[in-house]
Structure formats: structure tokens, C-alpha cells
Amino acid sequence: MLRLQMNADVQLNLALILFLPWFLILGALYWIYPRTPRLPRRRAFDVLALATSTLAAALGMWWGIGNADPHYGAMWAQIVATSVSYGLYLLVMTGAILARHLWITGPRARKGAIA
């Protein structure tokens, strides 16, 4: 029976590799909407939010790989890593959406900028 072995670097980063297209779609939607206001502080905030969410996803993935119970098989580590990675990405992005609305794009933020 032929048994293929996965590259260790690919195995360690598989969850991030598989979710990268979805993270790019969510990140693009976050970047595009709402369309206004496009202030320099918003761009800086958005870059920081996207970088933080990607870093949180990567760290969560590595934590999941390292802390999954090996008694359930090698695939379990990937399942845990994927779940933790995706959950952390969404958590950080949700927090960023709320914070951006409160501080930069929401009605209260615009009202404070005018006064």
C-alpha cells in the first residue's frame, strides 16, 4: 500500500492555507464596506485590523495543532486548528467592525468630527 507523507510545513499551516481564500473574501468585504468615509485613520485602522485578524488566525491554528488530543488521530489536530483559526479570525473582525463603526464610520463618529 502506497502511503504519502505530507510536508511538515504544509501540515502545520494547512488550516491557514485552506481558509486563505475565504479570509481574503471577508477581508475585501471589510475593506470595501462601508464606502465612506475614507479617512487616513480608517485606512490605518483597517490595515491594523486585517493584520491582527490574520495573526490571530495563524496563532490559533498553531495552538490548535499543538494542543489537539493525538489519541483521536492525526486529522483531529487539523480539525481543531481550523476551528480555532476561523473562530479567532471572525472574533477579531467582528470586534474591528464594531470598533470602526463606533469610532470612525458611525453617525456618532461623524457628528463628533463635524463639531
Side-chain angles (χ1 to χ4, degrees), residues 15 17 43 55 57 68 97:
I17 292 167
R43 285 191 187 97
L55 179 64
I97 288 169

Side-chain angles (χ1 to χ4, degrees), residues 7-103:
N7 181 330
D9 290 334
V10 171
Q11 185 174 1
L12 181 63
N13 297 304
L14 185 61
L16 192 61
I17 292 167
L18 293 175
F19 268 95
L20 193 58
W22 182 235
F23 288 167
L24 289 173
I25 291 168
L26 291 176
L29 290 172
Y30 171 80
W31 185 268
I32 293 169
Y33 296 105
R35 295 192 183 273
T36 57
R38 291 277 182 203
L39 305 170
R41 67 180 177 164
R42 176 184 168 183
R43 285 191 187 97
F45 183 85
D46 288 350
V47 166
L48 181 65
L50 290 167
T52 303
S53 63
T54 304
L55 179 64
L59 293 174
M61 177 195 53
W62 296 328
W63 181 89
I65 291 278
N67 291 294
D69 190 349
H71 292 99
Y72 291 105
M75 194 63 190
W76 182 246
Q78 290 300 325
I79 293 167
V80 171
T82 301
S83 299
V84 172
S85 176
Y86 188 53
L88 286 173
Y89 184 86
L90 290 180
L91 178 71
V92 172
M93 290 306 297
T94 301
I97 288 169
L98 294 172
R100 181 177 68 182
H101 180 74
L102 289 172
W103 296 327

